[in-house]
Amino acid sequence: MKIEHESDIKKYIAEIEILKKLESLALEVKNSGKDKKWEELSKLLHDSPEIVSAQGDRKKLVIFTEHRDTLNYLSEKITNAIGKKESVVAIHGGIGRDDRRKIQESFSFNKNTFVLIATDAAGEGINLQRAHLMINYDLPWNPNRLEQRFGRIHRIGQTEVCHLWNLVAEETRESDVFLRLFEKIQSETKALGGAVFDVLGKTMAGTELRQLLIEAIRYGNQESVRNKLFQKVDEAFSTQRLKDLIEEHALVRDVLDPTQINEIKQNMDRAEARKLQPHFISSFFLKAFEELGGSIKNREPGRYEISHVPASIRNNDRVIGNSAPVVSKYERVTFNKELVNLPDKPLAAFICPGHPLLDSTISVIQLKYANLLKLGTVMVDPVDYSQEPRLLFYLEHSIQNACYNRDGSRRIVSKQIHFVEINHKFEISNAGYAPYLDYRPIENDELELVKDILDSEWLTKDLEPKIMSYAITEIIPKHFNEVNEYHSCFIDKTIAAVETRLKEEINYWDKRAFELKLKEEAGKTPKVNWMNAKERAEELVTRLQKRRDELNSEKVLSPLSPNLIGGALVIPIGYLESKLNKTLDDHNLFASNTKGIEMIAMETVMKSEVQLGFSPKDVSANRCGYDIESYDTSNNKLRFIEVKGRIKGSTTITVTKNEILTCLNKQEQYILAIVEIDENATKLSYLNYPFKTEPDFCATSVNYEIKELLKQQDDLVYNI
């Protein structure tokens, strides 16, 4: 360093003396064993009613700090204070993404883990919504990072009131600015709601806040400077400015015409009625998980505790897993989205398609029983009174992108299962969403009755090429177009967001490098070398290009060939009963003219819907859990109608498992229409909320007494 003036020497000597005093003071504080900041944090950990209840129950808490040394220090102190090592976990920049996810899962779902200590590495795409309590042990000189930290817990779906503590040393120049800033945030939060935190990073640039803090430290004892600093904070957090930022932050909504809106609503209604959640997924998972040795117990209604996840499921996840890892235990899980977050109850993991625990369980079950699916079986359709057997094939189809998994395989972005049926005339049709749920296994004594079918020549034909050809022409294009349209739009938005964020950082460090270089050329010695700032900018350019390449690879989609998983021969109940020559029971009375009765029943309901002012559509061929979709123009909703036609005098109706679960998915819009037919008159009864409970896991259909159904719903029956 070149010193040109004697005054410079005196200045640096004075600075060295000040640094020596500060060093001595710091050593004195360290040797004293007293840490006022830790003492305040310790009080919060033990005395705050939001963190620990009067009964000693602890709530999940996130603590953010700036430096890894501080993180290690706090980890040791808090672990000793609570007394259990597993109570505290930590995330910092040196921890890999996969390990970070494991720590996040442990913090979220292990009931014995209460505190997560993190540097801002935990602010990068990690959801810490399991907690609603946060402490900033160190405060960053950047509002954007404050926003990112609080956004880990304060996000859509959070049902608890979020509490945030900021530890700031009183009577310091830094605290003057921060306290003023927090006062404004608090007052504007009351005026505008929690949305203030969504735009916190836009209120004031990080460089702007940093400059304010430096000015406060240097000149904060001057009243005029203090007033000027406070004025800048007040202007940045004025009500009108925040309103403008919140409006700007809101998502841009495309203008849709009424027809498009109605179509979207109808598709949402259909999706709700046909969804796998919660009934189909829960019935499968509970049975499969116990079959594989898992331990799961019912806690609150619809919520369970998993105390042990079998090694087979955890090990399999390490092979197929692409997202959050499967952990060894879950404090709560649920299959119903509405039960994920309940007041004063632990957050539940939502077990749904895409959750690693479910995906891994399905994968293990498939590996265990794949050979049985390939062998095939014989099943009975208990509500089909025709005489024509058919073959049911189970196809799996996937769409991949250009990215790779840990095992070197291409990443699957969408997977669908399809059911296709073919009859003895080699006519192929879509079998619906889950037809097997409506079928039952054939009994041993019934196998003899279908021996002639099993020996049929058409079953010996090579039918797989026909099924695969149908899938390639009918199934794959529709699946690919649906995924590609959504996926392309999503990736484009992601690329735009990534470029905006990283370009801002690149521009900042480019500008910083230029400024630092000018200072060094002027003979000054800044704390940061301009070459370091330049390297940081270049690293960000490389990172941006890498993310562009990754996202563009995600955008490139290609369909895989369909995979034939298994099949089954489906025997109509009508065929079995004709073989047994049944003539006296209720079913055969109905079966004597089943097609004619079905047609009369459907026509009766269709006419009734038109007379009531609705727009009905026959969808019975789709086998989606109901026979008619009827559009109600008064509320832009669909009525899902299951039609049951019976000859007058019949006492029961048979309802499939699929029909019952579809009803439970969309009870307020589901109608059971019972049509009783005789030579003189036709009686139509509409029943709302006909089914209350799920059928047993092994049940394929349930018989209901018609009189009992009508009796239980006196005020909901409409005779037409």
Side-chain angles (χ1 to χ4, degrees):
M1 180 176 62
K2 185 179 178 181
I3 301 174
E4 297 182 353
H5 303 287
E6 187 177 342
S7 59
D8 289 335
I9 297 175
K10 292 180 179 179
K11 182 176 69 174
Y12 289 124
I13 291 174
E15 286 183 1
I16 291 170
E17 291 300 318
I18 293 172
L19 288 172
K20 285 181 178 179
K21 289 180 182 179
L22 290 173
E23 183 182 21
S24 176
L25 184 60
L27 183 61
E28 185 181 336
V29 171
K30 181 181 178 181
N31 292 336
S32 72
K34 294 181 179 180
D35 183 347
K36 184 63 176 176
K37 204 171 187 180
W38 160 248
E39 289 174 5
E40 292 300 320
L41 176 59
S42 182
K43 286 179 184 177
L44 282 174
L45 292 173
H46 292 95
D47 301 334
S48 175
E50 290 85 6
I51 296 175
V52 57
S53 69
Q55 293 75 32
D57 297 325
R58 287 192 171 277
K59 300 289 180 66
K60 301 277 186 176
L61 171 68
V62 180
I63 300 176
F64 271 102
T65 184
E66 284 284 278
H67 309 289
R68 195 188 300 185
D69 287 343
T70 310
L71 179 144
N72 294 334
Y73 169 75
L74 290 178
S75 294
E76 182 180 352
K77 298 284 280 185
I78 295 173
T79 300
N80 292 336
I82 296 178
K84 294 181 180 178
K85 188 174 182 180
E86 67 175 329
S87 298
V88 182
V89 291
I91 295 177
H92 54 75
I95 295 176
R97 187 173 293 274
D98 289 342
D99 288 333
R100 240 184 275 179
R101 286 173 173 161
K102 289 178 184 177
I103 293 169
Q104 176 192 342
E105 289 292 292
S106 178
F107 176 69
S108 296
F109 301 113
N110 188 336
K111 64 181 180 181
N112 297 319
T113 303
F114 303 111
V115 180
L116 169 66
I117 310 171
T119 62
D120 284 304
E124 298 176 3
I126 292 182
N127 181 359
L128 302 177
Q129 195 179 27
R130 175 64 177 88
H132 63 277
L133 308 175
M134 179 180 290
I135 295 175
N136 279 320
Y137 190 80
D138 297 319
L139 285 168
W141 286 11
N142 188 328
N144 191 48
R145 284 169 60 198
L146 278 173
E147 175 190 325
Q148 288 176 346
R149 288 180 178 185
F150 197 51
R152 298 306 99 210
I153 64 170
H154 185 264
R155 55 202 299 140
I156 294 173
Q158 177 63 267
T159 60
E160 301 289 338
V161 176
C162 293
H163 294 267
L164 172 63
W165 291 267
N166 295 296
L167 299 184
V168 186
E170 290 183 342
E171 298 180 1
T172 64
R173 310 278 173 78
E174 180 189 30
S175 72
D176 288 343
V177 175
F178 270 121
L179 290 175
R180 185 73 170 199
L181 185 147
F182 293 141
E183 286 172 5
K184 288 296 296 180
I185 291 176
Q186 189 169 2
S187 63
E188 295 303 331
T189 298
K190 291 179 181 178
L192 301 172
V196 169
F197 286 95
D198 297 335
V199 296
L200 188 59
K202 296 176 182 282
T203 55
M204 184 180 287
T207 52
E208 188 179 356
L209 177 59
R210 182 182 182 86
Q211 189 60 40
L212 287 182
L213 289 165
I214 291 173
E215 286 184 32
I217 292 169
R218 288 178 174 172
Y219 315 112
N221 59 333
Q222 300 175 21
E223 191 67 27
S224 60
V225 173
R226 285 166 55 88
N227 292 337
K228 183 180 177 182
L229 296 178
F230 289 167
Q231 182 182 352
K232 287 185 178 180
V233 173
D234 293 345
E235 289 173 354
F237 287 87
S238 69
T239 303
Q240 187 56 51
R241 175 170 162 74
L242 288 170
K243 282 182 178 179
D244 293 341
L245 288 172
I246 291 169
E247 185 175 343
E248 178 187 325
H249 179 74
L251 294 175
V252 176
R253 294 173 177 82
D254 293 331
V255 178
L256 301 176
D257 63 49
T259 302
Q260 291 174 305
I261 293 172
N262 290 341
E263 185 178 347
I264 291 170
K265 286 184 177 179
Q266 289 180 35
N267 286 334
M268 290 174 67
D269 282 344
R270 292 186 187 101
E272 281 287 310
R274 300 168 187 171
K275 67 183 181 182
L276 296 173
Q277 294 295 128
H279 311 291
F280 293 105
I281 295 297
S282 62
S283 60
F284 163 77
F285 181 83
L286 294 173
K287 192 75 174 178
F289 191 69
E290 290 182 345
E291 165 80 13
L292 297 175
S295 178
I296 183 168
K297 294 180 180 178
N298 201 337
R299 292 306 183 199
E300 303 85 26
R303 289 161 55 93
Y304 304 81
E305 179 181 1
I306 294 179
S307 56
H308 169 66
V309 177
S312 60
I313 296 177
R314 286 183 278 116
N315 293 338
N316 186 65
D317 172 67
R318 296 189 183 102
V319 177
I320 68 169
N322 297 314
S323 57
V326 172
V327 293
S328 60
K329 59 182 71 173
Y330 292 82
E331 188 174 5
R332 289 293 185 275
V333 300
T334 185
F335 307 95
N336 195 322
K337 196 171 185 178
E338 287 71 30
L339 300 178
V340 169
N341 225 335
L342 297 181
D344 300 322
K345 298 294 182 183
L347 181 76
F350 181 37
I351 306 300
C352 61
H355 190 282
L357 179 58
L358 176 62
D359 289 352
S360 187
T361 301
I362 292 173
S363 178
V364 175
I365 288 291
Q366 284 180 328
L367 290 171
K368 189 174 182 180
Y369 295 110
N371 62 320
L372 295 179
L373 289 171
K374 284 288 186 183
L375 287 173
T377 187
V378 181
M379 306 189 80
V380 175
D381 186 342
V383 296
D384 181 2
Y385 290 93
S386 72
Q387 299 292 311
E388 294 186 2
R390 56 198 185 269
L391 277 173
L392 172 72
F393 287 96
Y394 166 29
L395 295 166
E396 186 177 76
H397 179 246
S398 301
I399 294 174
Q400 64 184 7
N401 62 23
C403 298
Y404 291 89
N405 297 318
R406 282 175 260 170
D407 60 357
S409 62
R410 295 277 286 275
R411 187 176 301 167
I412 301 299
V413 298
S414 179
K415 182 182 289 185
Q416 290 184 354
I417 56 174
H418 301 271
F419 298 93
V420 177
E421 289 184 341
I422 185 170
N423 60 21
H424 69 284
K425 298 177 183 178
F426 306 113
E427 297 169 334
I428 303 175
S429 62
N430 191 326
Y433 295 93
Y436 61 91
L437 293 173
D438 296 340
Y439 306 154
R440 66 168 174 82
I442 195 166
E443 304 289 344
N444 288 332
D445 57 352
E446 294 173 331
L447 281 172
E448 189 64 30
L449 300 176
V450 299
K451 192 174 183 302
D452 55 336
I453 296 177
L454 294 173
D455 295 334
S456 298
E457 183 181 354
W458 71 280
L459 291 180
T460 64
K461 303 290 184 181
D462 186 7
L463 301 176
E464 186 170 336
K466 295 180 181 295
I467 298 298
M468 298 298 276
S469 176
Y470 177 85
I472 290 169
T473 56
E474 299 293 331
I475 294 175
I476 292 178
K478 184 179 179 181
H479 182 198
F480 181 81
N481 290 336
E482 287 176 353
V483 174
N484 189 47
E485 183 179 357
Y486 165 79
H487 201 70
S488 179
C489 180
F490 176 78
I491 296 298
D492 284 342
K493 289 182 178 179
T494 304
I495 290 174
V498 167
E499 290 202 347
T500 298
R501 180 172 60 84
L502 288 180
K503 282 181 178 178
E504 285 180 358
E505 287 194 55
I506 292 168
N507 291 337
Y508 167 77
W509 285 106
D510 272 338
K511 181 181 178 183
R512 185 85 174 124
F514 178 73
E515 292 172 346
L516 291 169
K517 186 177 181 181
L518 290 179
K519 287 183 179 181
E520 289 186 23
E521 289 175 349
K524 297 180 181 179
T525 309
K527 292 181 180 179
V528 180
N529 185 283
W530 76 272
M531 287 296 294
N532 292 338
K534 183 181 178 183
E535 287 175 8
R536 176 62 176 159
E538 290 172 350
E539 287 172 5
L540 288 168
V541 170
T542 304
R543 181 178 170 187
L544 175 58
Q545 188 56 51
K546 183 180 178 182
R547 285 293 289 140
R548 278 191 190 128
D549 293 342
E550 289 173 350
L551 289 166
N552 284 324
S553 295
E554 289 184 34
K555 195 175 179 180
V556 178
L557 301 182
S558 58
L560 294 172
S561 298
N563 187 16
L564 189 59
I565 303 298
L569 176 64
V570 181
I571 308 295
I573 190 66
Y575 183 89
L576 291 177
E577 292 193 346
S578 67
K579 286 286 186 177
L580 290 170
N581 294 318
K582 290 188 176 181
T583 58
L584 300 177
D585 66 8
D586 206 27
H587 284 310
N588 208 54
L589 180 65
F590 169 66
S592 62
N593 188 20
T594 179
K595 286 294 180 186
I597 291 171
E598 286 177 0
M599 288 178 62
I600 293 172
M602 288 291 290
E603 288 174 3
T604 301
V605 177
M606 294 285 282
K607 288 179 181 178
S608 168
E609 288 296 292
V610 172
Q611 291 172 2
L612 291 170
F614 305 125
S615 302
K617 179 183 177 182
D618 184 349
V619 294
S620 56
N622 296 339
R623 309 187 76 170
C624 48
Y626 50 88
D627 296 312
I628 294 173
E629 281 183 1
S630 191
Y631 180 55
D632 183 352
T633 55
S634 65
N635 58 16
N636 297 326
K637 287 189 176 182
L638 291 173
R639 292 153 58 89
F640 302 109
I641 305 174
E642 173 59 30
V643 180
K644 297 295 180 184
R646 290 294 182 268
I647 295 174
K648 188 175 181 181
S650 301
T651 59
T652 63
I653 60 169
T654 301
V655 185
T656 68
K657 183 175 186 177
N658 190 24
E659 291 163 356
I660 295 172
L661 296 183
T662 302
C663 169
L664 295 176
N665 278 339
K666 206 68 177 171
Q667 291 193 56
E668 72 281 2
Q669 291 170 241
Y670 195 96
I671 296 170
L672 175 64
I674 300 177
V675 184
E676 298 175 90
I677 304 166
D678 68 6
E679 295 178 358
N680 301 316
T682 298
K683 179 184 177 184
L684 168 60
S685 299
Y686 278 176
L687 283 72
N688 295 63
Y689 301 93
F691 315 121
K692 306 296 190 301
T693 57
E694 296 181 35
D696 292 338
F697 177 79
C698 297
T700 55
S701 61
V702 180
N703 289 332
Y704 288 90
E705 293 286 338
I706 296 176
K707 287 184 179 179
E708 291 300 316
L709 281 173
L710 297 175
K711 188 189 301 180
Q712 293 172 12
Q713 304 194 32
D714 293 335
D715 58 333
L716 297 173
V717 177
Y718 304 91
N719 295 323
I720 298 173

